[in-house]
Amino acid sequence: MHPMLNTAVKAARRAGAIINRASLDLDKIQVGRKGPNDYVTEIDRAAEQAIIEILSTAYPDHAFLAEESGDVPPADGSTESEYRWIIDPLDGTTNFIHGYPSFAVSIALQHRGVTTQAVIYDPSSNELFTASRGGGAFLNDRRVRVGSRARYHDALLGVRWPSGAGPVGVPRYRELMEQCSGVRRSGSVVLDMAYVAVGRLDGFCGMDLKPWDLAAAGLLVLEAGGLVGDFEGEQTWFETGNVLAGSPKIFTQMLGHLQLD
């Protein structure tokens, strides 16, 4: 395992331990709102600080982009860095505060704007998804690949629609959903995309996502042999937040259904 990936795994497990301890007494957690249906807790912040502390201690010249803290400069006082960690300390906060076990820690490393390392950790199940650019994708040290289903009618998809959006009344999304085997909306983008990487889901469609939703998850899918693109099949998905991910055959068919509007 790459040394930087190993450090990220250590940070993810530390955050997971904080989350698991807090899950034992959810009634005591202070919950705030960042917007409609967008919650934040003291656990999000504590987990994020633990991650940043471990990574900045190991790599004081690295910068950060974190969901709760925003842009964080390198600890050594420099103003720029070739390296940037992108962190979502608790993806699926709404699930977490309800005791619904679908949430995860996501950590990615970018070098000169290219994602090179990825960790997604599910503390509920103790499942660790990792990837290094050019080195493949792994679940608990076992190499994984995207699913092999070829027919769209057999495909199981994950979706993420923002509040006020979705397939109702929008023909392109309705077609996408009605023609597949089924749709799952788990409430955790990073787990949905990790599940694409291991073949539990055949594809994923998400709108208006953030860099911390996509950085680690996107590399996982790609290193597992999948495809990731925007709704036109281009490579603007990280900037626009509109993303399709899936095994090659299912990705192509998802893209075809979205072009039927």
Side-chain angles (χ1 to χ4, degrees), residues 177-189:
M177 296 176 69
E178 288 180 348
Q179 297 303 316
C180 68
S181 174
V183 172
R184 301 293 180 264
R185 190 177 181 185
S186 76
S188 174
V189 169

Side-chain angles (χ1 to χ4, degrees), residues 91-129:
D91 181 62
T93 300
T94 301
N95 289 342
F96 170 71
I97 62 179
H98 284 83
Y100 186 80
S102 181
F103 46 82
V105 180
S106 177
I107 303 173
L109 176 64
Q110 289 189 334
H111 181 228
R112 296 180 178 176
V114 177
T115 304
T116 59
Q117 309 294 337
V119 176
I120 293 174
Y121 179 55
D122 179 350
S124 296
S125 64
N126 196 32
E127 288 191 322
L128 180 72
F129 305 84

Side-chain angles (χ1 to χ4, degrees), residues 42-241:
E42 63 203 284
I43 307 307
D44 295 71
R45 298 187 180 97
E48 184 171 287
Q49 285 306 118
I51 293 168
I52 292 174
E53 179 180 338
I54 289 173
L55 295 176
S56 62
T57 298
Y59 307 107
D61 58 334
H62 289 194
F64 299 85
L65 173 63
E67 181 176 12
E68 309 308 333
S69 303
D71 288 303
V72 178
D76 66 359
S78 56
T79 57
E80 295 183 0
S81 176
E82 292 185 355
Y83 292 92
R84 181 175 71 158
W85 295 93
I86 301 179
I87 301 165
D88 191 338
L90 179 51
D91 181 62
T93 300
T94 301
N95 289 342
F96 170 71
I97 62 179
H98 284 83
Y100 186 80
S102 181
F103 46 82
V105 180
S106 177
I107 303 173
L109 176 64
Q110 289 189 334
H111 181 228
R112 296 180 178 176
V114 177
T115 304
T116 59
Q117 309 294 337
V119 176
I120 293 174
Y121 179 55
D122 179 350
S124 296
S125 64
N126 196 32
E127 288 191 322
L128 180 72
F129 305 84
T130 58
S132 294
R133 181 165 292 275
F138 296 82
L139 168 57
N140 293 340
D141 299 322
R142 177 179 60 85
R143 190 154 189 166
V144 293
R145 298 284 296 178
V146 293
S148 59
R149 290 181 183 83
R151 299 195 332 153
Y152 191 73
H153 287 298
D154 296 330
L156 183 64
L157 304 184
V159 298
R160 192 274 191 181
W161 315 113
S163 298
V168 178
V170 183
R172 69 187 307 191
Y173 302 124
R174 188 166 61 243
E175 175 75 18
L176 182 79
M177 296 176 69
E178 288 180 348
Q179 297 303 316
C180 68
S181 174
V183 172
R184 301 293 180 264
R185 190 177 181 185
S186 76
S188 174
V189 169
V190 301
L191 276 185
D192 282 350
M193 291 184 68
Y195 286 0
V196 171
V198 302
R200 295 174 185 171
L201 292 173
D202 301 293
F204 173 80
C205 176
M207 298 171 58
D208 296 341
L209 303 177
K210 303 298 183 183
W212 44 82
D213 296 319
L214 297 173
L219 182 61
L220 267 172
V221 172
L222 292 170
E223 288 297 325
L227 297 177
V228 183
D230 62 21
F231 291 171
E232 283 69 45
E234 305 296 334
Q235 292 302 303
T236 69
W237 52 274
F238 193 76
E239 292 75 29
T240 65

